[in-house]
Amino acid sequence: MELVITESAADAGVLAGRIMADHVRRGARAIGLATGSSPLGAYRELIRQHRDEGLSFAAVRTFNLDEYIGLPPAHPQSYSRFIRDEFTSHVDLLDANVHGPDGNAADIPAAAAEYERAIADSGPIAVQILGIGANGHLGFNEPGSSLRSRTRVKTLTPTTREDNARFFDDDLSQVPTHVITQGLGTIGDAEHLVMIATGSGKADAVAAAVEGPVSAFCPASILQMHPHVTVLVDPDAAAGLQAVDYYRFAVANKPSWQSF
Ligand code: F6R
């Protein structure tokens, strides 16, 4: 695992975008996308590189991590719409190549199995961008999620619903209670995991995920089991880490031949 403490949240976003862009330039067939605030800077960087540097997504398929159950696809907070509004509609990605789990399927378990098949058919996902919940969730794998779980239904915790109420006019009653999410095993199949966390509200979760025990109670601790992980944090999100000096030393002395 490589842990990079950037000078600012904006720098973390740009670096995440550059890492994803490198994968696309190297011929990634599939990339994994997340919603929420954390990846927005990365998406802005990818859009900029598309506009200014000719970065093309024409041969790429995208796969979202998760989706609320029961929100119509056109709802402003459906993740299917969010990802189009914030990223994919601004680049040369064919809409047919933008995928997410179907939160409105009549048979959700069948939709979950179908999503797993779609990822397997197009994968492997070369790079998966991730945020982390204040409670350590990854995707919508809430504390207690099986470390080998696949795409399935989860019930959101009260804290996640409260955290996400900001996207629903601060009205908790509008936040769905259930979601369909890639499992921790599904996420772990991606070749490179890039997690971005900014702000003091993420400091405890980052410390638990990176330096705590691997545990279903901190789903993001599965990062410790993966062979290729980059964690990008701003100083506020790094505040709970013990080995900050070592992480900074490793980045400052990174061999010139070693990419992210
Ligand atoms: C979003 C997702 C979640 C978020 C996490 C952090 O697709 O899967 O795990 O990444 O809740 O959300 P933000 O970035 O809004 O703090």
Side-chain angles (χ1 to χ4, degrees), residues 28-215:
R29 296 175 61 219
I31 60 174
L33 305 179
T35 56
S37 322
S38 303
L40 292 178
Y43 298 151
R44 279 194 291 271
E45 173 64 13
L46 289 170
I47 293 165
R48 188 198 67 73
Q49 290 201 23
H50 169 69
R51 193 187 57 227
D52 299 342
E53 298 172 15
L55 179 68
S56 175
F57 297 84
V60 175
R61 288 177 185 272
T62 69
F63 289 89
N64 282 0
L65 282 174
D66 41 22
E67 182 59 278
Y68 291 112
I69 289 181
L71 278 190
H75 189 287
Q77 291 312 324
S78 100
Y79 285 174
S80 146
R81 165 138 176 219
F82 180 101
I83 213 69
R84 286 174 168 80
D85 288 353
E86 299 294 340
F87 175 40
T88 62
S89 67
H90 302 279
V91 298
D92 59 342
L93 254 159
L94 296 174
D95 200 48
N97 288 345
V98 178
H99 304 277
D102 184 354
N104 285 291
D107 183 342
I108 294 281
E114 174 54 33
Y115 197 56
E116 286 280 331
R117 270 194 298 278
I119 294 173
D121 288 350
S122 304
I125 289 176
V127 59
Q128 171 69 58
I129 187 141
L130 298 162
I132 182 172
N135 65 1
H137 74 212
L138 211 57
F140 271 141
N141 295 281
E142 296 284 37
S145 291
S146 157
L147 300 181
R148 296 179 64 182
S149 48
R150 311 302 305 187
T151 302
R152 70 214 183 290
V153 173
K154 285 298 288 184
T155 309
L156 292 179
T157 62
T159 50
T160 297
R161 292 186 65 240
E162 281 158 22
D163 285 347
N164 287 6
R166 70 190 194 279
F167 296 116
F168 292 84
D169 304 323
D170 285 320
D171 178 358
L172 190 60
S173 70
Q174 288 186 45
V175 184
T177 52
H178 290 82
V179 292
I180 176 169
T181 181
Q182 285 189 33
L184 295 171
T186 320
I187 293 169
D189 286 345
E191 292 178 330
H192 184 185
L193 303 180
V194 178
M195 190 179 86
I196 182 163
T198 59
S200 55
K202 299 293 175 70
D204 290 347
V206 168
V210 172
E211 295 179 342
V214 175
S215 156

Side-chain angles (χ1 to χ4, degrees), residues 16-35:
R18 285 189 187 149
I19 293 170
M20 295 177 80
D22 284 348
H23 280 283
V24 171
R25 286 202 176 83
R26 288 199 295 266
R29 296 175 61 219
I31 60 174
L33 305 179
T35 56

